[in-house]
Amino acid sequence: MIVLPVVRPAAAGLVVAAPRIVSDDPFELIRDRWEPPPWPGEVEVRIDRAAADDPEITGALETLACPACHRRADHLELDRIARARVHYAVTCAAPPGWPPLHLWALWQAVSLLAERTGGLRLDPHTPRLIPAGWRPRPPTRPERFAVGDWARVLGFQDDDGGTRLHTAGMHVFGLPDLEVRDVRPDLCRAWARLLLGLARALVHRQWADLAAEPARVSRVLPGRLEITASDVAAALAEPLPAHPARRVAVSLRHATPVAGSRPRLAVGPPPERRGPVRTWHVDAAQAMGP
């Protein structure tokens, strides 16, 4: 059993290397094009100037420039960011639960600010540079919400030759990230998808809990959960699979803290599973299909 506090979720983005317009009140740059949220609710938007040595910027640049741990970003864009003096940090917060007003507000603010200033869109938490033409899918209702638009899965080589996979970005839903260790390299794609399916199941469980009891201050997760193939497809906005009811059982526990990282939940085999963990990794990947 895992007890999680219900927190006010917040999301943050950066508009970096923004040379065209410098303002002491950055929100004024986009106020004339700002649109009201598509749902009723309260959302807080803040835009601040960010220093060139801001830890979120320098940390993201370090990761984006590392070919061993990330798909390397264009070196010209990285150099442009490193040399620029004008950056803007956007932070949005909203009450927990559906709808995720803060995510809608973040995307609109970052997009408008980038267009007005000529800056680059940087998600510092996943981290990634967002292409100008990319847009999140419209979150019209909870079951169609694509968690994979906001959370990603990153992989790192462990000392024993396996791969450690973990989500990045679950804090925007007020939830800890997920990790699985010692995954065979050939199973990483399947397990990345599986982690996003689990992320989607946890987000929807949280929204359902808060809809039933809006005033609750904590939530309890069972030690055993099941993910279906339809969870994976919905997380990635894919068509419903041929066998949507296929499922994988997992256990969750608090992961060993990693210095400088947000809290995570470790994903492992369910309590009834016996045998090597690596065999379970194979079975789980195959159960979810390609």
Side-chain angles (χ1 to χ4, degrees), residues 13-261:
L14 290 163
V15 175
V16 292
R20 288 184 190 162
I21 305 175
V22 179
S23 174
D24 292 329
D25 184 6
F27 195 82
E28 285 299 322
L29 300 176
I30 63 174
R31 192 182 300 277
D32 61 329
R33 296 178 59 192
W34 187 258
E35 298 177 5
W39 318 275
E42 172 190 341
V43 61
E44 174 188 335
V45 182
R46 192 178 78 241
I47 306 176
D48 302 301
R49 289 277 298 275
D53 60 352
D54 183 289
E56 289 198 327
I57 296 176
T58 57
L61 287 178
E62 182 178 350
T63 303
L64 289 167
C66 173
C69 57
H70 197 279
R71 183 177 179 181
R72 187 181 178 92
D74 183 88
H75 72 279
L76 293 177
E77 291 182 325
L78 296 179
D79 184 64
R80 175 183 165 189
I81 298 169
R83 292 175 179 273
R85 296 184 178 181
V86 181
H87 309 288
Y88 294 114
V90 182
T91 306
C92 301
W98 176 266
L101 290 173
H102 61 303
L103 298 182
W104 169 88
L106 177 74
W107 182 254
Q108 184 179 196
V110 167
S111 297
L112 292 176
L113 196 58
E115 292 171 9
R116 183 60 59 86
T117 65
L120 301 171
R121 302 161 175 83
L122 173 64
D123 179 348
H125 302 297
T126 42
R128 54 179 170 167
L129 283 169
I130 308 294
W134 185 86
R135 296 289 185 273
R137 297 163 182 85
T140 53
R141 55 184 189 270
E143 60 271 21
R144 293 180 64 89
F145 182 81
V147 171
D149 280 348
W150 300 98
R152 298 183 69 204
V153 176
L154 306 179
F156 300 87
Q157 194 75 24
D158 281 330
D159 294 337
D160 59 2
T163 302
R164 171 169 45 92
L165 300 174
H166 70 81
T167 62
M170 288 294 287
H171 66 281
V172 304
F173 305 108
L175 292 170
D177 278 303
L178 305 166
E179 74 169 29
V180 61
R181 292 176 177 261
D182 198 27
V183 177
R184 278 182 6 199
D186 61 307
L187 300 177
C188 284
R189 181 179 181 276
W191 262 95
R193 292 170 56 84
L194 200 153
L195 285 180
L196 289 175
L198 178 56
R200 190 253 184 191
L202 292 179
V203 169
H204 279 257
R205 177 184 286 265
Q206 173 171 260
W207 287 343
D209 288 347
L210 290 170
E213 297 182 59
R216 68 190 306 164
V217 297
S218 65
R219 303 172 52 244
V220 177
L221 290 180
R224 181 187 187 279
L225 292 171
E226 291 189 346
I227 317 126
T228 66
S230 61
D231 284 324
V232 174
L236 298 165
E238 295 177 347
L240 198 66
H243 304 284
R246 284 187 306 190
R247 60 191 63 237
V248 168
V250 304
S251 65
L252 294 176
R253 60 177 175 80
H254 290 289
T256 302
V258 177
S261 297

